[in-house]
Amino acid sequence: NVSRRKSRIIAFQALYSWDVSRVPTEELLTFSWMQKDSDFTQNEKEEQTFASFIISGTIDHLEEIDELISSHLSSSWSIERINKVSLAILRTSVYEIKFQTGSNPKIVIDEAVNIAKEYGSDDSYKFINAILDKIGKDEG
């Protein structure tokens, strides 16, 4: 679903921005940071609604999400070493897998990998896939 994909991109971008600058959640959820020249279409409103659920849910459950990510890292890695873009993708995806009822982990993982290919560093999608695959199997 194209609008779900856009929602996930918006959510990861918002989480990245939040992580880097600690913009208040309320400000993120106004979407004023998005570049728009006109009023939002109905489709864009739906995308923002879904993105809002992911953004606020991820921030609300951040400690648990980070613990889950950390528990699936190799012993030589810490969550602080993860690139901020990859971390934002991981966090939003883990939120969906663990807390979003009715979400299909395989679809969430596929979307995360595709988003990482588009926005992440060269091989970040492999790292994201490996972590999410482990978490998806544990949560599934």
Side-chain angles (χ1 to χ4, degrees):
N1 182 317
V2 172
S3 67
R4 286 272 167 129
R5 178 172 168 76
K6 276 184 81 175
S7 297
R8 289 180 175 112
I9 290 169
I10 293 167
F12 116 75
Q13 289 173 333
L15 256 288
Y16 172 83
S17 176
W18 177 84
D19 195 27
V20 170
S21 63
R22 294 296 177 197
V23 172
T25 307
E26 301 74 37
E27 193 176 317
L28 284 178
L29 297 177
T30 65
F31 299 98
S32 58
W33 50 273
M34 290 177 62
Q35 296 178 341
K36 290 286 174 192
D37 0 334
S38 60
D39 292 334
F40 291 111
T41 65
Q42 184 59 39
N43 204 29
E44 288 169 328
K45 287 178 186 168
E46 290 169 16
E47 290 164 2
Q48 287 184 339
T49 300
F50 186 60
S52 294
F53 286 126
I54 298 171
I55 295 163
S56 56
T58 302
I59 292 171
D60 288 347
H61 295 282
L62 194 66
E63 192 173 314
E64 193 174 347
I65 289 167
D66 283 356
E67 285 174 15
L68 195 55
I69 292 168
S70 293
S71 72
H72 288 84
L73 295 173
S74 69
S75 59
S76 62
W77 271 83
S78 69
I79 201 161
E80 293 78 21
R81 283 186 61 195
I82 301 173
N83 166 296
K84 297 272 190 214
V85 170
S86 296
L87 185 58
I89 295 169
L90 279 170
R91 283 173 166 166
T92 55
S93 301
V94 169
Y95 168 74
E96 272 197 83
I97 291 168
K98 183 153 177 67
F99 297 101
Q100 194 85 25
T101 54
S103 123
N104 181 333
K106 287 186 186 325
I107 292 171
V108 173
I109 294 167
D110 284 348
E111 288 285 322
V113 166
N114 288 327
I115 291 168
K117 284 179 180 177
E118 189 172 341
Y119 294 93
S121 57
D122 289 345
D123 284 340
S124 63
Y125 72 93
K126 294 176 185 176
F127 173 76
I128 288 169
N129 185 56
I131 298 296
L132 292 178
D133 190 49
K134 291 178 196 173
I135 291 171
K137 286 177 181 162
D138 288 353
E139 297 301 314

